[in-house]
Amino acid sequence: MVSMKRMAAVAAVSMIGLSACSGTDSGSPAVPGEAKGGDLLAKAPVAAAADILPGSTMEKIKQRGELIVGGSLDAPLLSQQNPTTGEVEGFDADMGKALAKYILGEPKVKIVNSASETREALLSNGTVDVVFQTYTITPERAKQVAFAGPYYSSGLSLAVRKGTTGITKPEDLNGKTVIAGANTPAIPAIKKVAPQAKIVTFGGDPECIQALKQERGDVYVQDETLLVANAKKDPSVQVVGSPFTTDPYGIGLKHGDEQFKKFVNDWLKKIQADGLWQQTWKNSLGTVVQGEAPAPPQIGSVPGS
Amino acid sequence: MSAILDHLPEFWQGLTVTLQLTAASFLGAAVVGLVITAMRVSPVGVLRGIGTAYVETFQNLPLLVLLVLAVFGLPEVGIKADLLVTAIVVIALYEAAYIAEALRSGVNAVSTGQGEAARALGLTFGQSLRHVILPQALRTVVQPLGNIFIALTMNTSLAAAVGVVDLTAAANRVNLMEAQPIPIFVGAGLAYALIAACAGFVTGRLERRLVVVR
């Protein structure tokens, strides 16, 4: 009996604690910057009921009440989990939430941390509805999955330790040890521009930066936005030259689902036209890249999209 | 299927690295494991303590943590070695704990009378271990050692996470270009299974020939 009473007391206390927490949530946000994502999503469009065709993927998602997104939790500015709020933040993450709102009327997403080696399988077996994960559109991949977009265009660039000389352009990589993220488009790109480069790969971006600082390689090849973000945080690393590739990012969809692809492309055109795309960029990538938001890429302009 | 055939050189190179990792780290683990076993059954209390501490430490840490620590942590204190060498040393030290436990169970399986007889003959601790105890202990643990070898083979794939281009890393790289995970990873999986099957076959044969009937 005593233990029952004690349990009841514990439960009561924890309920009070919970309600106290939720009380602060309803007021003004305690975390600075939190409002930006909210504002953005408040302005995000919702699809007309007629666009959710019966029997379509959109309808299935709507019935389920949540959009399942394949994404990352460790890509700064693109899709990174905020350790204090638990929210996933960044350009890719916000795009996923905006698409969820377009379908469901509310930005309800479940992010499945999909590694780049499993994206195709997760899409084809229906584990995830869409992939927002710096997913570069290539003709080989387009045989396995469908790509809406491109929704963003990026490029690979070089980062070195501050004070390194003799590396300014991709051709300088020949004969050097080059660090790249495992499973990133950097690996084939390096092989193409500098066949004599020795490539070492590490799991994620933080490991690669650490390896560069510990002189396991002379240069780190990665998406320019990631490199700029890193260089901003860590002054011992600097970005050299300008991007030497064009990586059009697409929204990965199940292969052959033309209906859903058209639906997502229509949404992309809509948010590009009403400025939501540009605002999403400014809130994420735009916080480290100088200048105005770039012109969004033309939908369907890339082979494979 | 063409996804694999077009990239056979990459797969072959990855497989070579995996075999190197497996062979070198198993050899290292066997040597260290033997030493640890000798310490654990020795009459000197301090040595027994060190041996126990070693086994408990390495069996209770995930291999990936050790690898990441060795690759990214040691350079911070000025120790930096080649990635493949680092991976071999770490895997060898880690698996040595498991080999030591297998060997110790073999030593325990040798009847006490054997040790007493060796002592009665005037053999030193080292001599009785070398000539009487260990040969019998080893014959008892052929199968467990084979299992450790197979586990070690699978564990080498963790080296891919710290920059070693083994079979796993090679498969990842090929998949990045071809985007055909199913055939590529099934192919890589079959290669691992083949290594494990060979190890199983060899230990099975050895076991039948060496087993001590008690």
Side-chain angles (χ1 to χ4, degrees):
Chain A
M1 269 323 273
V2 173
S3 66
M4 282 278 273
K5 261 187 203 160
R6 188 174 291 165
M7 264 164 70
V10 168
V13 167
S14 52
M15 293 269 258
I16 294 164
L18 277 175
S19 55
C21 285
S22 56
T24 56
D25 271 8
S26 56
S28 62
V31 182
E34 202 180 36
K36 281 195 298 186
D39 279 358
L40 208 65
L41 289 166
K43 276 189 277 174
V46 180
D51 287 339
I52 312 281
L53 303 165
S56 64
T57 313
M58 300 79 92
E59 200 198 24
K60 268 182 242 153
I61 296 166
K62 191 158 190 174
Q63 275 168 0
R64 192 199 299 132
E66 115 188 304
L67 178 72
I68 305 179
V69 178
S72 308
L73 301 173
D74 60 352
L77 299 175
L78 291 160
S79 189
Q80 188 178 37
Q81 191 160 31
N82 183 326
T84 46
T85 61
E87 273 295 296
V88 184
E89 297 166 350
F91 186 71
D92 275 356
D94 288 343
M95 292 291 268
K97 287 178 200 163
L99 177 61
K101 189 183 174 200
Y102 190 62
I103 301 171
L104 305 162
E106 52 176 342
K108 266 198 86 175
V109 291
K110 184 170 122 191
I111 294 189
V112 174
N113 195 1
S114 62
S116 37
E117 52 270 46
T118 54
R119 290 184 294 209
E120 290 83 16
L122 289 176
L123 278 171
S124 69
N125 67 21
T127 311
V128 299
D129 301 314
V130 292
V131 169
F132 276 98
Q133 198 186 30
T134 60
Y135 204 178
T136 306
I137 303 172
T138 69
E140 287 80 18
R141 286 174 176 171
K143 287 177 202 153
Q144 310 291 317
V145 299
F147 283 109
Y151 68 95
Y152 185 65
S153 187
S154 183
L156 293 169
S157 203
L158 313 176
V160 294
R161 288 180 295 279
K162 189 145 266 176
T164 305
T165 51
I167 300 174
T168 52
K169 53 187 186 301
E171 294 74 37
D172 297 337
L173 300 185
N174 272 318
K176 299 283 193 322
T177 305
V178 183
I179 299 164
N183 312 313
T184 61
I187 301 164
I190 296 163
K191 282 187 181 153
K192 207 162 132 196
V193 294
Q196 271 93 56
K198 181 175 177 286
I199 305 173
V200 260
T201 54
F202 296 96
D205 180 61
E207 285 102 319
C208 290
I209 285 287
Q210 185 75 354
L212 177 69
K213 284 159 68 182
Q214 293 177 343
E215 306 186 19
R216 292 216 180 263
D218 308 300
V219 53
Y220 173 30
V221 176
Q222 179 57 280
D223 188 275
E224 195 195 25
T225 25
L226 277 178
L227 290 184
V228 171
N230 278 320
K232 192 145 186 154
K233 275 186 300 196
D234 191 336
S236 69
V237 174
Q238 71 182 71
V239 183
V240 289
S242 46
F244 62 96
T245 62
T246 321
D247 292 328
Y249 294 160
I251 303 167
L253 310 170
K254 192 174 188 157
H255 192 247
D257 194 345
E258 286 302 321
Q259 218 177 27
F260 193 35
K261 179 172 165 177
K262 185 181 174 299
F263 177 85
V264 176
N265 274 336
D266 287 347
W267 164 74
L268 275 175
K269 281 178 203 151
K270 199 170 278 183
I271 63 164
Q272 287 181 356
D274 69 9
L276 186 77
W277 186 95
Q278 290 78 354
Q279 197 53 48
T280 310
W281 185 91
K282 279 206 92 72
N283 280 358
S284 50
L285 299 166
T287 56
V288 294
V289 178
Q290 307 291 318
E292 281 302 300
Q298 181 86 33
I299 306 298
S301 58
V302 181
S305 63
Chain B
M1 207 45 208
S2 69
I4 294 183
L5 295 178
D6 292 349
H7 295 277
L8 273 182
E10 281 109 310
F11 277 110
W12 180 246
Q13 217 174 358
L15 184 65
T16 324
V17 172
T18 291
L19 290 174
Q20 275 176 358
L21 263 176
T22 308
S25 50
F26 188 74
L27 269 179
V31 173
V32 178
L34 200 64
V35 173
I36 299 294
T37 310
M39 286 165 96
R40 291 205 77 177
V41 299
S42 83
V44 186
V46 178
L47 290 182
R48 279 204 306 276
I50 296 173
T52 311
Y54 184 94
V55 170
E56 290 300 326
T57 308
F58 281 94
Q59 282 197 339
N60 288 305
L61 282 172
L63 178 56
L64 186 59
V65 169
L66 293 172
L67 281 169
V68 171
L69 269 179
V71 170
F72 294 109
L74 288 182
E76 295 290 313
V77 292
I79 306 167
K80 200 180 95 185
D82 180 70
L83 289 173
L84 183 66
V85 174
T86 312
I88 288 172
V89 170
V90 172
I91 297 173
L93 290 177
Y94 173 82
E95 296 287 344
Y98 291 88
I99 289 191
E101 282 300 84
L103 285 177
R104 194 167 65 94
S105 76
V107 170
N108 288 342
V110 178
S111 63
T112 14
Q114 295 280 331
E116 284 165 359
R119 262 211 307 282
L121 285 172
L123 298 184
T124 63
F125 171 72
Q127 282 171 330
S128 54
L129 207 57
R130 216 168 39 247
H131 300 297
V132 181
I133 314 282
L134 276 180
Q136 297 185 64
L138 271 172
R139 287 171 159 225
T140 325
V141 295
V142 170
Q143 200 62 60
L145 284 182
N147 288 343
I148 291 173
F149 180 85
I150 290 169
L152 182 147
T153 310
M154 305 306 155
N155 279 340
T156 59
S157 65
L158 289 175
V162 289
V164 177
V165 188
D166 68 340
L167 184 56
T168 304
N172 274 336
R173 285 188 184 185
V174 172
N175 180 49
L176 187 71
M177 282 179 269
E178 299 290 337
Q180 297 207 20
I182 311 276
I184 290 169
F185 288 106
V186 166
L190 284 177
Y192 279 110
L194 197 68
I195 302 174
C198 286
F201 177 76
V202 170
T203 47
R205 289 290 290 265
L206 276 177
E207 160 121 276
R208 273 194 292 283
R209 284 184 50 184
L210 296 175
V211 71
V212 184
V213 185
R214 290 203 177 87

